[in-house]
Amino acid sequence: MKEKTTKKILRMTNQRRVILEELSKIYFHPTASDVYDIVRKKLPNVSLGTVYRNLELLSSCRTIQKLDFGEPHKRFDGNPEPHYHINCSRCGRVDDAPIELKPELEKEAEKISGYRIDSHHISYSGLCPDCVSAPDQ
Amino acid sequence: MKEKTTKKILRMTNQRRVILEELSKIYFHPTASDVYDIVRKKLPNVSLGTVYRNLELLSSCRTIQKLDFGEPHKRFDGNPEPHYHINCSRCGRVDDAPIELKPELEKEAEKISGYRIDSHHISYSGLCPDCVSAPDQ
DNA sequence: GTATTTGCAAATACTTTGCAAAACC
DNA sequence: GGTTTTGCAAAGTATTTGCAAATAC
C-alpha cells in the first residue's frame, strides 16, 4: 500500500449542509456551541463532535473562517472573504469591521521582517453599541 | 464587613521577579509552558500553576501582554507597549512585526461601526526566515 | 460497493482553582 | 501580623478522537 497525497473529497451531508446554511444566514460570529444549538433546531440528533469536525474541516478548506479573539472559545464566520473584525470587550460580541482591506500593510512588513507573509488581519476591541449605551457599566 | 473595591497590592516574590526578568531577556514570545521551563532553571521548585497565575496577573496589570494566535496555547510578550506581531504558520514562532503603529485605523473603524474602540492589533501570518529556507517543505 | 461521515462517549490539552503552608511588607 | 502568594493536586472547559453503524456518491 503506497503512501500518497490523499485529497479527501468532501461529501455534502445533511449536517454539513445545515451548518453552512445557518452560518450564511446569521450576521454575527458564533462559537461552536452556538452553532450546535442553532443546527440542533433543524437536526435534533446532530452531535457536538460532528459540529466541531465540520467547522474545523470547512475552515481548513477555506469555505468558512475560524476566528480567535483570545476568548476561551473560537468563533466562526460563514464569509470566507478576507475582512476585519471588531469585538466587544464587555459582552464578547464579534462583528465585521467596516473598513476596507489594507493589502499594502503586508508589503510594508515583508520588507524588513524576513518573513514571507501570506496574510494579515486587523482586530479591533472596544464597546459595542449596546454596551456603550447600557446603564450597568 | 463592607464590600469595597479592593485594589490588591502585587508583592514582588522571587517567582514573579524571575518570570519578569526572563521575559525581558528573550526576543521571542513564549507559551506558558516555555516560561515554566525557563523559570525552572532558576527556581527548580516553581509550579506550573504559579507561572500561569503570574502571567495572568501581570497581563491584567498591563505589565506584560498576552498574545493569541489561534494556537491552542497563549503566548506572552514582556514588552507592554502596543506593537504588532507576526507568526510562522509552519513552526509557530511569534516575532514582533517591524512596522510602525497605525492609530488612524481606529478612527476609521469608529466612524462607521458604532463601537467605541479602545484598541486594535495587526497580526501577520507567513513563513519565518528559517522555514522559508528550510528544505523540508 | 466503498470511502467518508456520523453519534456516542471517552480522552486530551491547556488552564484554573482550593487549600494549607510559606513568604512578603 | 495580616494579607498575598506558593506548591500541590484535583477540577474545569473547550475541543478532539476511536469506533462501529449509517450515509453519500
Side-chain angles (χ1 to χ4, degrees), chain A residues 10 12 27 29 43 46 56 60 76 78-79 93 113 115 118 124 134:
Chain A
L10 283 197
M12 191 46 70
Y27 63 92
H29 301 326
L43 301 173
V46 75
E56 186 53 41
S60 59
F76 295 87
N79 173 8
R93 169 175 156 186
S113 65
Y115 273 68
D118 295 327
Y124 293 94

Side-chain angles (χ1 to χ4, degrees), chain B residues 11-14 32 49 52-53 56 72-74:
Chain B
R11 291 180 179 174
M12 191 45 69
T13 61
N14 244 326
Y52 270 105
R53 262 182 301 223
E56 186 54 41
H73 23 246
K74 309 259 183 301

Side-chain angles (χ1 to χ4, degrees), chain A residues 19 22-39 51 55 64-67 71 73-79 92-95:
Chain A
I19 290 172
E22 297 300 317
L23 267 184
S24 74
K25 274 190 217 163
I26 57 189
Y27 63 92
F28 64 101
H29 301 326
T31 65
S33 139
D34 292 338
V35 175
Y36 177 53
D37 292 341
I38 293 166
V39 170
V51 170
L55 291 173
I64 66 175
Q65 291 188 64
K66 178 154 64 166
L67 309 179
E71 302 165 304
H73 23 245
K74 309 260 183 301
R75 291 171 175 274
F76 295 87
D77 185 339
N79 173 8
R93 169 175 156 186
V94 175
D95 286 300

Side-chain angles (χ1 to χ4, degrees), chain A residues 102-126:
Chain A
K102 314 281 185 211
E104 69 277 11
L105 288 173
E106 296 194 12
K107 291 192 200 75
E108 183 180 352
E110 192 153 74
K111 241 182 285 179
I112 13 184
S113 65
Y115 273 68
R116 172 146 69 64
I117 292 175
D118 295 327
S119 66
H120 77 284
H121 185 250
I122 304 179
S123 51
Y124 293 94
S125 183

Side-chain angles (χ1 to χ4, degrees), chain A residues 11-13 32 48-49 52-53 56 72-74:
Chain A
R11 290 181 179 172
M12 191 46 70
T13 60
L48 185 55
Y52 270 104
R53 261 182 300 225
E56 186 53 41
H73 23 245
K74 309 260 183 301

Side-chain angles (χ1 to χ4, degrees), chain A residues 106 110 115-121, chain B residues 69 85-90 123-128:
Chain A
E106 296 194 12
E110 192 153 74
Y115 273 68
R116 172 146 69 64
I117 292 175
D118 295 327
S119 66
H120 77 284
H121 185 250
Chain B
F69 272 82
H85 294 96
I86 183 166
N87 98 309
C88 177
S89 55
R90 190 140 79 98
S123 51
Y124 293 94
S125 183
L127 290 179
C128 72

Side-chain angles (χ1 to χ4, degrees), chain B residues 16-27:
Chain B
R16 190 163 293 159
R17 187 178 42 72
V18 173
I19 290 173
L20 281 170
E21 278 174 12
E22 298 301 315
L23 267 183
S24 74
K25 275 190 218 162
I26 56 188
Y27 62 92

